[in-house]
Every structure is written in structure tokens, then in C-alpha cells.
Amino acid sequence: MIIDLKNGKNGTAPVVRLNSGHMLPVVGLGTYALHGDACVNAVYQAVQSGYRLIDTASFYGNEREVGEGVRQSGVSRSEIFVQTKPNQYSHAEQAIDEALSKLDIGYIDMMLLHHPASDDVTAYQAIEQAIREGKVRTAGISCYYIREMDAFLPKVSMKPALIQNEIHPFYQDRPVVEHIQKRGIVVQGWYPLGGRGFTGALLNNPVCKEIAASHGKTVAQVILRWNLQKGVVVIPGSSDPEHLRENLSLFDFALTEREMERIATLDRKEKHDWY
């Protein structure tokens, strides 16, 4: 999948059309590590900085704060794409209603299954029903790879619009990314900067630092741009206003084919989380 980045400008992420027909910004805010007032403020600051995609999950314990930040932003609800992930599969209908109540933003733009499980099909069918009822607009899944995805897709009515997986230069997972994209499903990368305990090693990688210096950009910007040029949308997390602006300033430069190839050589097949 190729993301059209030509119309992007710093401070405003371009969008990609999902197979459900909805439009998804290609850069968003991940909120995994954000809680309490810090989460509310980060979401507020992100929206003020131009972000229009916010990712959360029941497991993160911050859906209320994310919703509060969205409401405080003053930006029209219709302009902000909010995605969340329940993991209470045994009572999925209740979990969806709980997410709606905690977020308190009217509807959920995308609800994703957080991971495969024995009852994931039943849980996904609850999301499909929520879409029919107008509670949710589109569906996705997270942490599904080739075997899991191929077993799952024939069992559901609505093809997932997006699959969210760990992707970064040390874990590029190219066969899986290509397998997903060939089926018309958008790939979204979590841990795009390496994840907990590994960001420092990635940001100090000599190859990435050299490429960043040649463009007058930070290493984080180079890595996020690398993802986008691979057709992978990203949700980096931050509560720092400067980093928020930096992570959305990816559209006034492009990596050359040679630079993309150099970053491709950094793949260690090194996964930084269990799922």
C-alpha cells in the first residue's frame, strides 16, 4: 500500500482511505503510557498541534482521560478519529458500551480487537453489531500476523479496515506487512520508535543518525517517515509539546531509495513486546 504523502504538510497529517470508506490520518497519538491529567493534557495539546488521530484501549486505563482531552480541545468531534481496543471478549457488548461511556464522545471511530483469543470471533461480531447500531464506525484488529489473520478473516462478515502491529526498524516484519496490505487492509505500527526500554538504542543508531543529519531532521522524524514511505501509519506516544510537534513534522522531506534500503538493513527481527 502506498500512502500519498505529497499533500501532507507539517502540522497536518494526510489521510488514507480505509476499506470501510472512512478516512484515517496517517500519524496519530498513542496513549499507552499516559494517565491522569498528563493524558488529558497530552491529548489536548496533540489536537491543538494538529493531530486528528488518537489511539487508546481499555487495557491502558485512560479512556476517560482521552475523551476529556478530546472534549476540551474545542475541535469538532467529526474532525477527530478516536480508536480504542477492548480486551473483555467474554462480554464484548458490555465492553463496547463501557468504552462509549468512558470516552463520552458520542461514538467510536474504530474499535479493534486488542489481540487474538479463543473467543475473538464472537467479540468481533459484537463490534460488527455496534457498527450496524451506529455506536462504532469501523472495525480493526491488533497483534494478528499471517496465521492468525488467515484463520480469522473467513469467520467474520466485515473485513477489518486496519491491523495494528509492532513495527520499527529493529522489527520490520516485512512478510506480514506485505501480506496484510495485499488484502486491502491498512497496517498501523505501534512502538514505531522501538518501545519501552529500546527507544534509546534506536534513536542512537549510527545509520539513522547519519540519515537524519543529512536532512536536518531528528532520528525520530526519519524513523516515522520511513514507516510512512513503507505504507505503515504510525501512532507514536508523547506528552512533550515539542515532541508532539516534531512527530507531526514529517512532510517537508523524503527519504531516498538508498536511505530506505539502509534502514531496511537494520532489521534484527527483534520484537520488543510479547504479543
Side-chain angles (χ1 to χ4, degrees), residues 105-181:
I105 52 176
Y107 59 89
I108 294 168
D109 293 279
M110 180 183 292
M111 181 161 277
L112 306 93
L113 295 184
H114 208 150
H115 49 72
S118 59
D119 48 0
D120 56 3
V121 171
T122 301
Y124 190 86
Q125 288 169 342
I127 296 175
E128 292 177 326
Q129 182 59 31
I131 291 172
R132 297 184 191 101
E133 295 173 356
K135 298 177 179 179
V136 175
R137 295 202 161 174
T138 193
I141 53 181
S142 178
C143 305
Y144 283 67
Y145 303 93
I146 293 175
R147 182 180 62 185
E148 295 86 350
M149 187 184 84
D150 287 352
F152 180 81
L153 290 184
K155 300 176 183 177
V156 299
S157 300
M158 299 179 185
K159 181 191 290 187
L162 177 146
I163 296 182
Q164 188 186 88
N165 284 344
E166 178 179 346
I167 300 168
H168 47 76
F170 292 163
Y171 187 73
Q172 300 182 20
D173 218 12
R174 280 169 282 187
V176 174
V177 171
E178 293 170 5
H179 189 78
I180 294 169
Q181 291 176 336

Side-chain angles (χ1 to χ4, degrees), residues 8-207:
K9 60 181 181 180
N10 290 346
T12 304
V15 296
V16 61
R17 182 180 293 277
L18 301 169
N19 60 31
S20 62
H22 294 285
M23 307 302 289
L24 177 80
V26 301
V27 180
L29 174 69
T31 65
Y32 173 81
L34 301 174
H35 299 92
D37 290 343
C39 181
V40 175
N41 188 57
V43 172
Y44 173 85
Q45 292 291 340
V47 176
Q48 294 301 308
S49 299
Y51 286 76
R52 293 297 181 265
L53 167 62
I54 311 294
D55 175 80
T56 181
S58 172
F59 179 73
Y60 301 169
N62 62 11
E63 287 172 313
R64 294 187 192 280
E65 291 88 343
V66 167
E68 180 66 22
V70 169
R71 293 193 302 275
Q72 286 187 13
S73 73
V75 172
S76 172
R77 170 68 185 93
S78 62
E79 295 183 24
I80 303 175
F81 194 106
V82 178
Q83 56 187 46
T84 190
K85 302 175 284 293
N87 61 354
Q88 309 95 315
Y89 293 2
S90 62
H91 52 280
E93 292 180 10
Q94 180 182 340
I96 292 168
D97 287 340
E98 287 175 357
L100 284 162
S101 176
K102 289 176 181 178
L103 285 164
D104 192 20
I105 52 176
Y107 59 89
I108 294 168
D109 293 279
M110 180 183 292
M111 181 161 277
L112 306 93
L113 295 184
H114 208 150
H115 49 72
S118 59
D119 48 0
D120 56 3
V121 171
T122 301
Y124 190 86
Q125 288 169 342
I127 296 175
E128 292 177 326
Q129 182 59 31
I131 291 172
R132 297 184 191 101
E133 295 173 356
K135 298 177 179 179
V136 175
R137 295 202 161 174
T138 193
I141 53 181
S142 178
C143 305
Y144 283 67
Y145 303 93
I146 293 175
R147 182 180 62 185
E148 295 86 350
M149 187 184 84
D150 287 352
F152 180 81
L153 290 184
K155 300 176 183 177
V156 299
S157 300
M158 299 179 185
K159 181 191 290 187
L162 177 146
I163 296 182
Q164 188 186 88
N165 284 344
E166 178 179 346
I167 300 168
H168 47 76
F170 292 163
Y171 187 73
Q172 300 182 20
D173 218 12
R174 280 169 282 187
V176 174
V177 171
E178 293 170 5
H179 189 78
I180 294 169
Q181 291 176 336
K182 285 178 181 177
R183 281 149 182 78
I185 300 172
V186 169
V187 177
Q188 187 177 73
W190 51 265
Y191 280 0
L193 301 177
R196 295 166 294 170
F198 298 93
T199 301
L202 189 52
L203 296 185
N204 285 290
N205 179 268
V207 170

